[in-house]
Amino acid sequence: MSAAKRVQQWATFARTWHIFDCKWQDPYLSANVIKKYLMGMHKPIYHPMNDCGDVVVCINSRDIALRGDDWRQRAYFHHTGYPGGASWTLAWEVHNKDPTMIIKKAVYRSMKGNLQRRHTMQRMLIYPGEEVPEDIMQNVTNQIRQLRPVPTRLDHIPEDEVKKYPKVMEYPEDYVLK
Amino acid sequence: MSFLTRANCLAKNVILSTFVRSISTTKHLQLKELHERKEGSTLIVEGVTVPSPHTELLIRAEKIKDLAPVEKTEHTCYMCALDLDVKHTDVLILSQFVRTDGCMLPRRITGLCRRQQKKVGKMVSMAQKAGLMINLTPSYCKKDPRQRYAYKKFNTYFDENTIFMKKIPKPVDKFKR
Ligand SMILES: [Zn+2]
């Protein structure tokens, strides 16, 4: 076996560590992407009985973006098991309590409910901010591409660049600038 | 005929001094900016004529040779002729259609057709809700999207396809018959 083939063999069977930046990403859409890396579905050797899943580190889970009015429309259900123990919590209330819970539940929901799911979820690490412990960061070798580009705020663009940008609208001649 | 009515008007102006209406044949109105300054105890408000900041960088479809000429010229405005794919995140374009307090300009000033005015107006409010034009807000605004109340402080994105949707389907609608 040549050296290149041997490295390919190691790379196939090793657990790769991926990083995913959740800034301005829809958790329900990115869950379908993260799921594939967690279960190892991006590998040609994938099989449900084959333990070939990778580790995914999600950062900036506090800055996820939900579509439209989802923050106040989406409700998360919980039941304590006692009579009258049902509760519905809105997405923004869940995110206030725990900024990692929405992305975690989204990935958990996107996978099929079998015995393997809990173990697959153990391979997903979520951090609300940029800070990741050093011993985890040194394992990371790959970055998962973001689904949506992060939008730029107008006040973060330099002022002369805003002035130099090509204009579409022209004021009428008798307009008083406000 | 028009000359006669104009003469009548002028005559009225002479007789009824309370109703003052100035008529001129040339353009005497210009783009102005209001300036307030204090001299001693008097406040002076004056309208200063300024050149338009948009004129030099203006882009029009007539001037671009590669764009195919549009057949129905009487039904298109400049945005339809340009045929741009504007998203609500394109704040450099959307900020041209708003006042300094972030309010959308009316159609008589923007010069858009009805459909484009609706589309641009909705995208301006989308950008404001997403907190992308936070420097173009009223003076009482806190200028930080994270300081907002309850669900408004978290990041939100929008789908431009929902602008001309009659009814936006909810996730539960697909189970209904
Ligand atoms: Zn138009």
Side-chain angles (χ1 to χ4, degrees):
Chain A
M1 194 184 266
S2 67
K5 275 282 177 194
R6 195 159 59 226
V7 171
Q8 200 179 8
Q9 178 90 353
W10 291 339
T12 309
F13 291 103
R15 277 206 205 286
T16 320
W17 288 55
H18 307 268
I19 197 163
F20 182 72
D21 191 357
C22 300
K23 192 167 251 186
W24 281 96
Q25 303 304 304
D26 189 314
Y28 310 105
L29 299 178
S30 44
N32 293 325
V33 177
I34 294 171
K35 173 188 97 172
K36 285 185 183 164
Y37 287 91
L38 275 181
M39 295 167 72
M41 288 163 92
H42 62 299
K43 295 179 181 177
I45 59 163
Y46 171 74
H47 187 270
M49 301 298 287
N50 182 3
D51 184 21
C52 63
D54 288 347
V55 182
V56 177
V57 182
C58 289
I59 59 165
N60 285 327
S61 75
R62 194 179 278 120
D63 298 326
I64 53 168
L66 260 59
R67 199 185 75 163
D69 49 6
D70 263 11
W71 281 118
R72 62 177 193 278
Q73 292 280 352
R74 219 174 253 271
Y76 283 81
F77 178 75
H78 179 71
H79 202 292
T80 59
Y82 289 98
S87 68
W88 287 266
T89 318
L90 300 179
W92 67 271
E93 291 170 329
V94 172
H95 203 60
N96 252 351
K97 284 247 179 199
D98 184 3
T100 62
M101 198 184 262
I102 285 184
I103 182 84
K104 189 176 166 188
K105 280 188 177 289
V107 174
Y108 186 78
R109 244 197 65 156
S110 70
M111 286 189 287
K112 204 177 157 196
N114 49 19
L115 287 177
Q116 200 58 44
R117 175 159 71 161
R118 303 272 173 153
H119 302 289
T120 312
M121 280 307 289
Q122 292 300 309
R123 266 182 261 125
M124 186 185 180
L125 309 166
I126 312 167
Y127 296 95
E130 296 266 353
E131 298 85 38
V132 183
E134 191 52 47
D135 55 333
I136 283 165
M137 202 61 199
Q138 67 188 0
N139 294 326
V140 171
T141 49
N142 186 32
Q143 185 181 3
I144 302 174
R145 188 182 283 267
Q146 287 183 316
L147 298 175
R148 287 167 44 77
V150 177
T152 319
R153 263 164 64 174
L154 187 62
D155 52 334
H156 291 170
I157 305 170
E159 206 165 299
D160 55 328
E161 209 163 299
V162 177
K163 274 183 187 163
K164 267 191 282 176
Y165 195 77
K167 297 288 184 283
V168 177
M169 209 273 285
E170 174 66 305
Y171 293 110
E173 281 163 354
D174 54 344
Y175 181 63
V176 180
L177 283 172
K178 271 181 210 161
Chain B
M1 189 61 199
S2 63
F3 173 73
L4 273 177
T5 49
R6 188 174 286 176
N8 281 341
C9 241
L10 283 173
K12 248 184 215 167
N13 280 357
V14 171
I15 298 159
L16 303 167
S17 58
T18 49
F19 178 71
V20 180
R21 189 189 160 198
S22 56
I23 291 176
S24 61
T25 49
T26 55
K27 281 173 195 159
H28 68 287
L29 298 167
Q30 301 259 307
L31 191 68
K32 285 188 191 68
E33 208 168 21
L34 287 179
H35 282 270
E36 285 185 16
R37 61 190 164 88
K38 261 198 167 172
E39 269 184 28
S41 59
T42 53
L43 178 72
I44 298 172
V45 181
E46 58 176 348
V48 184
T49 317
V50 287
S52 171
H54 290 185
T55 310
E56 285 197 359
L57 298 156
L58 202 66
I59 288 200
R60 283 286 175 267
E62 304 92 84
K63 294 175 190 164
I64 304 170
K65 280 167 192 158
D66 298 338
L67 273 182
V70 187
E71 287 82 27
K72 292 180 196 168
T73 41
E74 65 271 16
H75 290 302
T76 52
C77 62
Y78 56 91
M79 279 297 268
C80 292
L82 277 172
D83 199 20
L84 295 171
D85 183 23
V86 183
K87 300 258 188 272
H88 76 282
T89 47
D90 299 331
V91 282
L92 285 168
I93 293 174
L94 294 179
S95 62
Q96 298 168 21
F97 293 96
V98 296
R99 289 200 270 266
T100 48
D101 64 345
C103 178
M104 179 74 190
L105 290 167
R107 198 155 78 91
R108 64 170 189 277
I109 292 164
T110 55
L112 295 166
C113 64
R114 277 172 196 282
R115 192 179 168 86
Q116 286 287 344
Q117 174 77 14
K118 187 110 194 161
K119 193 177 177 189
V120 173
K122 288 242 180 171
M123 282 196 289
V124 164
S125 57
M126 282 174 176
Q128 293 282 17
K129 281 175 185 172
L132 301 175
M133 296 203 293
I134 208 76
N135 52 342
L136 296 175
T137 39
S139 54
Y140 51 82
C141 179
K142 282 176 202 153
K143 309 278 179 195
D144 185 9
R146 281 162 191 252
Q147 298 286 313
R148 288 175 179 176
Y149 173 73
Y151 57 88
K152 293 176 189 168
K153 67 182 164 216
F154 299 125
N155 293 341
T156 311
Y157 77 93
F158 294 91
D159 187 1
E160 283 82 12
N161 293 329
T162 58
I163 290 177
F164 290 117
M165 237 181 231
K166 284 269 165 58
K167 179 178 165 282
I168 296 165
K170 294 212 165 113
V172 292
D173 284 358
K174 63 184 171 192
F175 300 117
K176 285 181 187 165
R177 282 181 186 260

